[in-house]
Amino acid sequence: MSDETIMSIENPTETARDPALKATDLSKTFPLAKPLFGPAGAGVRAVRPVSFEVARGETLGIVGESGCGKSTFARMLVGLLEPSSGQIEIDGKALDNADPAAFGRLIQYVFQDPISSLNPRKTVQQIMEAPLKRLYGMGADERRARIAEIFDSVNLREEFLDRYPHEFSGGQAQRIGIARALAAAPEIIVLDEPVSALDVSVQAQVLNLLADLKAEFGLTYLFISHDLAVVEAVSDRVLVLYFGAVVEIGRAEEIFAAPKHPYTKLLAESAPVVGRPLAAPEQKDTELPDPLNPPTGCAFAGRCVRATDLCRTEDPALRPMGDHQFAACHHPLED
C-alpha cells in the first residue's frame, strides 16, 4: 500500500461511501528563480503527492512542525493555491482553480491571525456582505437576515457591524472570521491554527463555539494546529505531516496513545506538560532536512534513533499498523 492510499474513518482499507472531501495525488512544488547561467532548479516540493478522504461530519486534525507543509496543503484545499498535481473533490464534484466561486460555496477558510485576516478598510458589515453578494447575489434584505442569523450563532451583537476590525479583541475578531466563513454556507471549513493567537481562556470559548457550530450546521472540519492537546481534544482522526508527506494517520485516540512513527512520538514528547520539566527531545546539533536538497530515503532518518541503512536509501510507504492506523516507517514503534 503506497502513501497515496485512501482511508476513511470507519475502515481505513476502504474509501468512505459518502465522503465530504476527497483529495487524489495532491502535491505542490514551488519553482525556483532561474539563475543567470545554467538551467533552473527542480523547485521546492512543499507537499508530496497525498490522497485521502474526509468523512461527512468528521474533524480531521492535521499536525506537524512549522514548515512541514500544513498551510500550503490547506490553501490548496480551499483554492488559494493551485496544486502542481492532483484533484480535489467535494460531494463527488471535482473543483477547478479557475472557478473560485465553486470553492467558496463548498469550502471556507478561517485564518490563524484573526485581526490581519480582516480588511482594515472595511466595516464588519461590508466584510460579511462580500461573500453573500459575490457567491449568491443576495439583495439587501436577504443579506441583513442572513447576517443576523449568523451573528446570533457566533454570539456577536449586531451593533458590531458598524465597527472596523481594529476595534475588536482577538477573540471577537476570530468570531467575526468564523462568521464570515459561515456566511457562504459551506459544507467544509478549514481551520488554520484558529486559536493559537488567542489567550488560553479565549481558546476554550472559541473551541466550544466551533463544536456547537459543527453540530448546528452539520459541518466538516479540517483542523490544523501545532498544539497537540487541542488537536487531541477536537479531532476524530489525525493526519501527521513531515517534510510535505503524510507519515501517520489514524484515529485520534490511537495516534496519541500508541504512535507508530517516531516523528509522531517526538511531537508528543516535545509538547510542554504541566508538572513535567522541560527537556529537549533531540540533540542540539540535530538538523532538519534541506528542502532544496532533499535526502534520499526517509526524510526523518537523520533525526531518528531507529534509522538504518534501509531508511536512508528507501522511502517508506504508508502501510497499515492495525485496524485504523497507518504509518510510513520501516521500523515502527511497538505498543
Side-chain angles (χ1 to χ4, degrees):
M1 187 172 296
S2 68
D3 62 349
E4 286 81 23
T5 301
I6 297 176
M7 293 153 284
S8 74
I9 188 171
E10 295 301 330
N11 186 347
T13 63
E14 298 177 0
T15 59
R17 292 182 179 180
D18 187 25
L21 181 145
K22 177 180 178 181
T24 306
D25 296 335
L26 200 63
S27 73
K28 182 63 180 180
T29 299
F30 291 100
L32 298 174
K34 189 178 185 304
L36 186 59
F37 301 102
V44 177
R45 297 184 70 188
V47 176
R48 297 163 62 186
V50 174
S51 297
F52 69 99
E53 290 185 357
V54 184
R56 192 176 305 281
E58 179 184 12
T59 296
L60 176 67
I62 301 174
V63 300
E65 296 169 314
S66 296
C68 71
K70 300 190 302 295
S71 292
T72 300
F73 182 63
R75 288 170 183 263
M76 287 192 292
L77 293 177
V78 297
L80 293 176
L81 280 177
E82 184 173 1
S84 300
S85 68
Q87 180 175 271
I88 300 165
E89 297 178 40
I90 297 179
D91 283 343
K93 304 172 185 175
L95 298 183
D96 186 345
N97 281 73
D99 183 11
F103 279 92
R105 287 189 290 266
L106 294 172
I107 185 168
Q108 282 287 321
Y109 199 99
V110 173
F111 295 85
Q112 177 177 357
D113 187 339
I115 298 294
S116 65
S117 69
L118 302 174
N119 190 330
R121 297 177 179 272
K122 295 185 180 295
T123 65
V124 174
Q125 175 85 29
Q126 293 171 316
I127 290 171
M128 291 294 299
E129 286 185 333
L132 301 179
K133 289 179 180 178
R134 295 174 181 271
L135 298 178
Y136 296 103
M138 286 187 181
D141 291 340
E142 288 181 291
R143 296 198 302 268
R144 191 177 303 110
R146 176 63 177 160
I147 292 171
E149 176 189 357
I150 296 169
F151 260 45
D152 182 62
S153 296
V154 299
N155 300 319
L156 289 174
R157 299 195 299 273
E158 289 189 49
E159 64 192 65
F160 289 174
L161 291 170
D162 294 327
R163 301 181 188 178
Y164 288 86
H166 70 272
E167 300 179 65
F168 298 97
S169 67
Q172 290 172 328
Q174 192 60 293
R175 287 173 184 267
I176 294 170
I178 294 169
R180 177 180 58 183
L182 289 174
E187 299 178 14
I188 304 167
I189 296 182
V190 176
L191 302 150
D192 190 356
E193 301 275 9
V195 298
S196 64
L198 306 178
D199 294 336
V200 174
S201 59
V202 180
Q203 287 184 13
Q205 296 173 12
V206 172
L207 291 175
N208 287 332
L209 172 65
L210 289 171
D212 292 340
L213 294 173
K214 179 182 176 183
E216 180 180 354
F217 295 105
L219 298 169
T220 300
Y221 287 157
L222 279 80
F223 194 102
I224 299 171
S225 180
H226 63 272
D227 190 329
L228 299 189
V230 171
V231 172
E232 183 178 12
V234 304
S235 301
D236 299 304
R237 280 192 305 152
V238 175
L239 183 152
V240 184
L241 280 175
Y242 181 73
F243 205 56
V246 178
V247 296
E248 189 162 2
I249 186 170
R251 291 179 172 175
E253 62 270 20
E254 296 177 355
I255 290 285
F256 289 103
K260 301 302 183 184
H261 198 285
Y263 175 62
T264 308
K265 184 173 185 290
L266 173 68
L267 288 178
E269 292 177 345
S270 301
V273 177
V274 176
R276 187 178 73 184
L278 291 175
E282 296 181 289
Q283 299 296 323
K284 292 182 179 180
D285 58 352
T286 300
E287 293 187 5
L288 302 179
D290 182 0
L292 297 179
N293 185 26
T296 58
C298 176
F300 189 66
R303 304 171 62 185
C304 183
V305 297
R306 304 168 68 87
T308 63
D309 290 340
L310 174 64
C311 303
R312 297 183 179 90
T313 57
E314 184 177 326
D315 194 9
L318 203 64
R319 56 192 179 93
M321 302 283 173
D323 292 337
H324 302 282
Q325 199 166 350
F326 288 70
C329 185
H330 292 302
H331 308 292
L333 302 171
E334 301 297 331
D335 293 340

